[in-house]
């Protein structure tokens, strides 16, 4: 129920509830993950990306988010980290380098006009993908 409320609040907060957002899909999220996260977090999300050894703070195992949160996926927290509202020490603040792609109103590939709907769809797609790779 918390998951549904977080997603509903996230979408409604952007006043997009009446608009279809086809990017809200774990498959889209998988492609976004591969292009923006895997270099540090690893292809399987376990924190063993190609750049992990170069970082001063080791990337976390993203497959353990639910386990580390009492068995429930922390959807609201994950969305807040992805879109830059909540900083992460390893990131130095909001999401680095690619954060603008996920920030509502940001610029970036396909977001030249600050397309908030698309940014929110990307953010939710990535969060749904991360939820789908949680360890049992």
């Amino acid at each position: 129920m918390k998951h549904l409320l977080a997603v509903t609040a996230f979408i409604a907060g952007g006043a997009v509830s009446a608009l279809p957002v086809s990017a809200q899909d774990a498959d889209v999220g998988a492609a976004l993950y591969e292009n923006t996260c895997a270099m540090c977090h690893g292809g399987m999300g376990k924190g063993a990306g190609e750049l992990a050894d170069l970082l001063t703070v080791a990337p976390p195992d993203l497959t353990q988010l639910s386990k580390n949160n009492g068995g429930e996926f922390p959807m609201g927290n994950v969305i807040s980290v992805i879109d830059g509202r909540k900083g992460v020490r390893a990131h130095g603040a909001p999401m680095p380098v690619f954060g603008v792609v996920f920030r509502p109103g940001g610029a970036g590939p396909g977001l030249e006009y600050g397309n908030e709907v698309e940014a929110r769809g990307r953010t939710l797609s990535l969060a749904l993908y991360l939820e789908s790779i949680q360890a049992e």
Side-chain angles (χ1 to χ4, degrees), residues 54-113:
L54 302 175
L55 303 174
T56 56
V57 176
D61 182 342
L62 298 176
T63 68
Q64 299 295 310
L65 296 173
S66 291
K67 181 180 177 186
N68 295 336
N69 192 52
E72 208 159 310
F73 186 74
M75 182 62 76
N77 185 51
V78 169
I79 287 170
S80 294
V81 169
I82 293 169
D83 72 12
R85 286 180 287 150
K86 181 175 183 175
V88 174
R89 184 173 168 243
H91 294 156
M95 292 287 289
V97 187
F98 301 105
V100 71
V101 173
F102 301 106
R103 189 171 29 254
L111 300 176
E112 293 82 5
Y113 302 104

Side-chain angles (χ1 to χ4, degrees), residues 19 35 44 46 66 77 85 94 99 106 117-118 121 126 131 133:
L19 300 173
N35 290 319
M44 303 303 289
K46 296 185 177 283
S66 291
N77 185 51
R85 286 180 287 150
V117 173
E118 187 171 344
L126 182 53
E131 182 179 40
I133 64 168

Side-chain angles (χ1 to χ4, degrees), residues 22-30 32 120-130:
S22 61
Q24 295 170 5
D25 177 304
D27 291 336
V28 170
L32 288 167
R120 286 181 181 263
R122 288 173 186 233
T123 301
L124 185 54
S125 293
L126 182 53
L128 289 170
Y129 171 71
L130 293 175

